[in-house]
Amino acid sequence: MSENTQSPRKPRVAVVFGGRSSEHAISVVTAGAVLSAIDRDKYDVLPIGITTDGRWALTADAPERMAIADRALPNVADLAESGEGGVVLPVDPAHREVVLAEPGAVPKALGEVDVVFPVLHGPYGEDGTLQGLLELSGIPYVGAGVLASAVGQDKEYMKRIFVSYGLPVGPYEVVRPREWDQNPAAARKKIVEFAADHGWPLFVKPARGGSSVGITKVDDLSGLDEAIEEARRHDPKILVEALVRGREIECGVLEFEDGPRASVPAEIPAVTDHDFYDFEAKYIDSASGIVPAPIGEEATAEVQRLAVAAYEAVSCEGLVRADFFLTEDGDFVINEINTMPGFTPISMYPRMWQESGVSYPELVDRLIQAALTRSTGLR
């Protein structure tokens, strides 16, 4: 009797990227880096892009086409193998076979998916919506669950949870959509009174955004209306924050077998050509962070403790980048967390872990392995 020499099937990873948010291009860049790092001897890979209008498309496995080139941002539409039809996930947890459905053609089976690596940033992907779909489909996925993803996207509720856990948060105010729609004068007055209490400048930002898209630093009353309009272009709910004077410090958290651990922190130096660490400073002009941050052992230990505490407070899984201000008094103030931080070649999260002894390919592998060991559903 001959032995069965057939090799076991490699786990299949669907890298899902792009999406309907204003961070579409950065998600594509992140996907290119992740696709380059996945060990193809260990995993099969299925790249799935979501166009800006929400169509799920089978895309080319071409990381070299996913980078920012000559300040031009990539998009899924240019990578899609077809301009029609779309990829369909199963809605039956007993089956994980993904199908490509195109007009006038018999649906084409693309095979089973064992885990999804969602590298979407912003609404319609990082905010719990995709995570909910994957829970219904019974497909494990990298990163935070539905609740943690939603909280990590909504800066208002993120800050409320931080406060409830005793984490240090700077002054902020929220203007909800109904407030602005029904009485913009009263909403504007609330912001002006906040400025009177905490001083100018203020930062006006979308409450559920990222990558510094839609954020404006407002130095005085004359720039307020334009800043509100810009933020509301990305999100009808806006967040207003007081300036916290201090050094910008970031710290990564990664799930290990024995629980979450913090990386060495990084410092984002003051950018001379920008008012603050905005989209262009992060992704176009390649502003570089200092890794590890030169803040001393005691401050390093404290920011690592706070980063893990923030991760636990929001019930995160897999990974988090936590952003802080280190004030002149030596105190840390947490600004926000990011449940799916960028993995672009210049992104701080992988750089911090590289300095902590976890290489980029190992980082990607750890995230996939952690997702494969978790079940979907209540946990």
Side-chain angles (χ1 to χ4, degrees), residues 61-81:
D61 186 1
E64 69 279 0
R65 294 170 54 194
M66 299 181 181
I68 298 174
D70 297 326
R71 303 180 77 89
L73 301 176
N75 65 81
V76 167
D78 292 337
L79 297 162
E81 293 192 349

Side-chain angles (χ1 to χ4, degrees), residues 4-12 41-44 114:
N4 183 0
T5 58
Q6 185 176 359
S7 300
R9 183 176 68 85
K10 292 184 290 188
R12 199 145 193 248
D41 292 330
K42 190 172 182 178
Y43 304 104
D44 284 329
D114 297 290

Side-chain angles (χ1 to χ4, degrees), residues 33 45 69 72 89 170 177 196 200 225 228 243 283 286 291 293-294 299 313 331 341 360:
V45 177
L89 288 183
W200 301 91
D225 288 347
I228 293 172
L243 173 67
Y283 301 112
S286 302
V291 188
D331 299 320
Y360 193 101

Side-chain angles (χ1 to χ4, degrees), residues 165 259-260 307-316:
Y165 275 81
V308 172
Y311 177 100
E312 298 281 30
V314 182
S315 298
C316 293

Side-chain angles (χ1 to χ4, degrees), residues 227-245:
I228 293 172
E229 183 179 339
E230 172 61 16
R232 281 177 53 82
R233 195 164 66 85
H234 300 277
D235 186 344
K237 181 166 81 166
I238 65 172
L239 189 79
V240 180
E241 293 176 336
L243 173 67
V244 178
R245 298 188 185 278

